[in-house]
Amino acid sequence: MKFCYEYPHPAVTTDIVVFTIGDQCLQALLIKRNNEPFKDKWALPGGFVDIDEDLDTGASRELEEETNVTGVYLEQLYTFGQPDRDPRERVITVAYYALIPPEKLTPVAASDAAEVKWFALDNLPPLAFDHRAIVDTAQQRISAKTRYSTIAFQFLPERFTLSELQGVFEILLRENLDKRNFRKWILALNCVEETGEIRRNGQHRPAKLYCAKNPDRVDIIK
Amino acid sequence: MKFCYEYPHPAVTTDIVVFTIGDQCLQALLIKRNNEPFKDKWALPGGFVDIDEDLDTGASRELEEETNVTGVYLEQLYTFGQPDRDPRERVITVAYYALIPPEKLTPVAASDAAEVKWFALDNLPPLAFDHRAIVDTAQQRISAKTRYSTIAFQFLPERFTLSELQGVFEILLRENLDKRNFRKWILALNCVEETGEIRRNGQHRPAKLYCAKNPDRVDIIK
DNA sequence: GCAAAAGTGTTATCCCTACACCCATGA
DNA sequence: TCATGGGTGTAGGGATAACACTTTTGC
């Protein structure tokens, strides 16, 4: 107890909603807590912000420590600070969300957590703390951003087919899209280009492979 | 120094960018600091979050203390936590922004601050801490929200003319709008209604007064 | 040859934009 | 009567939405 202040200070954490797309649906990564409070409950990955560490840095550090994932899209979501959200002490959490493509989808077992698992968003278990509200906020944000930005590309590997791209949009928007209209629209946006490669994949015509023109950037569209 | 912790804790504040529309431009409220650091510099109103107080509550309390304004639109903006943003200790600030209609535009002199003043956003003085970045972020947010929500109504009194409403949009969007197209658009949105009253105001035809259908709500449009 | 996904154009509709004049009032 | 802002409609163009068949492959 050697860090003392004239006035009470809250603890500050980051929690990260890690999204991916798998099994034809949007999934979030949860860890099973092996300490009180909420022992054995599922929760978001996250942890305390170091005292001389930037919030973004803290979030990406926690993400790497608990999932072994680096170099993915990470954005601040919202700050949750209800006084009673943690029974131990006042904890304010700066929530982030991360999007990871299925190619990097083997983060499990990098953590000190008891268990790490992907859950479909419409089939979440009860969550610790106020983590359910955080996940819901993140899902709203990501759906909204799908409509007016190129954020959906962050779920795809470097090379992808237009059908795969359409599938990601359909999952995020929760609606079916017309194939011809989607292709016209996405090509008119001028944000993908043909690689010249094709992918043979089953007993049907092979698909052209495309890549994003600016894979590291999320642009506002429309 | 009687509040002690096992690990170092940051201080947490809220800072509020208070916007209004005056002199045909978007203005922000600043206070002149009368303490170190940044003594005599202009800064955003704000202060420490109480240890058992919600973040939203803290922001609206600070807003009332420093400007005497209550019951206005207040929304969390972003959390700023660069380790060196305050020279005294680690301070993480949860930034908010508030929109106040010109009718409530007499908050000056309610505060313990040395001086409180409205500044046009394209004519800001140098600001303390990283407050310039906070103001810029807030301005981007408000411009973006003007395009897809009814946030602009928050700058208007209960009753207003369509010309006044158009003026607010023009200031926020920084572009001139066609009068007929604007009226068609705003009436089709179905978010205002005629009060039946008119306002006589100078040597010209009097204007019909309208009111918002849901003055307390900001709806997503389009 | 057949199943399965890839790929490709046209038409109708709706929404947005551009644009100019009369109205009611107070001085 | 004149200056001032309030109030109103229409036509053209561009974007969006609906819609079905051919192609290429593996088995």
Side-chain angles (χ1 to χ4, degrees):
Chain A
M1 290 295 191
K2 48 184 179 172
F3 297 96
C4 299
Y5 307 90
E6 210 166 325
Y7 298 99
H9 280 37
V12 176
T13 60
T14 57
D15 288 307
I16 306 128
V17 188
V18 186
F19 287 113
T20 196
I21 289 192
D23 298 334
Q24 301 298 309
C25 61
L26 186 59
Q27 299 182 322
L29 190 74
L30 299 176
I31 63 175
K32 193 172 233 173
R33 292 179 56 82
N34 50 15
N35 293 307
E36 291 293 347
F38 297 104
K39 183 160 156 50
D40 298 324
K41 280 254 184 180
W42 295 95
L44 294 172
F48 293 96
V49 176
D50 289 348
I51 198 65
D52 55 359
E53 174 187 61
D54 189 33
L55 297 171
D56 290 2
T57 309
S60 71
R61 175 181 56 73
E62 293 287 349
L63 180 61
E64 182 173 4
E65 283 178 12
E66 305 210 37
T67 69
N68 219 19
V69 167
T70 58
V72 298
Y73 184 78
L74 184 69
E75 183 184 309
Q76 195 188 107
L77 174 65
Y78 197 81
T79 299
F80 296 80
Q82 286 284 123
D84 57 356
R85 56 179 297 284
D86 190 309
R88 294 166 294 186
E89 64 173 323
R90 177 76 191 273
V91 179
I92 292 168
T93 193
V94 185
Y96 281 74
Y97 67 100
L99 310 186
I100 86 173
E103 49 170 358
K104 301 196 175 182
L105 198 146
T106 46
V108 182
S111 166
D112 55 331
E115 203 178 341
V116 183
K117 204 170 141 191
W118 292 102
F119 287 86
L121 271 168
D122 42 19
N123 192 25
L124 291 180
L127 300 187
F129 306 102
D130 56 355
H131 287 186
R132 180 64 201 232
I134 298 177
V135 172
D136 289 346
T137 305
Q139 193 178 1
Q140 285 167 30
R141 174 81 60 93
I142 203 176
S143 298
K145 281 210 139 179
T146 300
R147 293 184 188 279
Y148 66 85
S149 80
T150 59
I151 200 168
F153 287 85
Q154 299 297 323
F155 284 112
L156 288 165
E158 198 189 337
R159 276 135 215 274
F160 50 85
T161 69
L162 293 187
S163 295
E164 288 170 339
L165 182 58
Q166 181 176 342
V168 171
F169 273 90
E170 287 178 334
I171 290 166
L172 295 175
L173 297 175
R174 292 175 163 272
E175 66 184 295
N176 292 326
L177 303 174
D178 178 86
K179 199 204 298 191
R180 282 169 292 188
N181 290 339
F182 176 78
R183 286 170 186 234
K184 242 180 305 171
W185 175 73
I186 204 77
L187 293 174
L189 277 185
N190 201 33
C191 58
V192 295
E193 54 191 358
E194 290 190 28
T195 63
E197 298 166 71
I198 57 171
R199 179 190 297 161
R200 291 171 194 279
N201 185 31
Q203 49 189 354
H204 55 80
R205 180 171 175 173
K208 290 184 188 171
L209 288 175
Y210 290 76
C211 63
K213 287 195 176 168
N214 302 106
D216 300 328
R217 216 169 63 199
V218 171
D219 293 313
I220 304 301
I221 57 187
K222 266 182 195 170
Chain B
M1 289 297 189
K2 47 185 180 174
F3 297 96
C4 298
Y5 307 90
E6 211 167 325
Y7 299 98
H9 280 38
V12 176
T13 59
T14 57
D15 288 306
I16 306 128
V17 188
V18 187
F19 287 112
T20 196
I21 289 191
D23 298 335
Q24 301 298 309
C25 60
L26 186 59
Q27 299 182 323
L29 191 73
L30 300 176
I31 62 174
K32 192 173 235 173
R33 291 180 56 81
N34 50 16
N35 293 307
E36 290 295 345
F38 297 104
K39 183 161 156 48
D40 297 326
K41 280 252 183 181
W42 294 95
L44 294 171
F48 293 96
V49 176
D50 288 348
I51 198 63
D52 56 359
E53 172 188 64
D54 188 35
L55 297 172
D56 290 3
T57 309
S60 72
R61 176 182 53 75
E62 293 287 348
L63 180 62
E64 181 171 5
E65 283 178 13
E66 305 209 37
T67 70
N68 218 18
V69 167
T70 58
V72 298
Y73 184 77
L74 183 68
E75 184 184 309
Q76 195 187 106
L77 174 65
Y78 197 81
T79 299
F80 295 81
Q82 285 285 123
D84 57 356
R85 57 179 295 284
D86 191 308
R88 294 166 294 186
E89 65 173 323
R90 177 76 190 274
V91 179
I92 291 169
T93 193
V94 184
Y96 280 74
Y97 66 100
L99 311 186
I100 84 173
E103 49 171 358
K104 300 194 174 183
L105 197 144
T106 43
V108 182
S111 166
D112 55 332
E115 203 179 339
V116 183
K117 205 171 142 190
W118 292 101
F119 286 87
L121 271 169
D122 43 17
N123 192 27
L124 291 181
L127 300 186
F129 307 103
D130 55 357
H131 287 186
R132 180 62 201 233
I134 299 177
V135 172
D136 289 345
T137 305
Q139 193 178 2
Q140 284 167 29
R141 174 80 61 92
I142 204 176
S143 297
K145 281 210 137 178
T146 301
R147 294 186 186 279
Y148 65 87
S149 81
T150 58
I151 200 168
F153 288 85
Q154 299 298 323
F155 284 113
L156 289 164
E158 198 188 338
R159 277 134 214 273
F160 50 85
T161 69
L162 293 186
S163 296
E164 288 170 339
L165 182 58
Q166 180 175 344
V168 171
F169 273 90
E170 287 178 334
I171 289 166
L172 294 174
L173 297 175
R174 293 174 163 273
E175 66 184 293
N176 292 326
L177 303 174
D178 178 87
K179 198 204 299 191
R180 280 170 293 187
N181 291 340
F182 176 78
R183 285 170 187 233
K184 241 180 305 171
W185 174 74
I186 204 77
L187 293 174
L189 277 184
N190 201 32
C191 59
V192 296
E193 55 190 358
E194 291 190 28
T195 62
E197 299 166 70
I198 56 171
R199 179 190 296 159
R200 292 170 195 278
N201 184 31
Q203 50 190 349
H204 55 81
R205 180 172 174 173
K208 291 184 187 171
L209 288 175
Y210 290 77
C211 62
K213 286 195 177 167
N214 302 105
D216 300 328
R217 214 168 66 198
V218 170
D219 293 314
I220 303 300
I221 56 185
K222 264 182 198 170

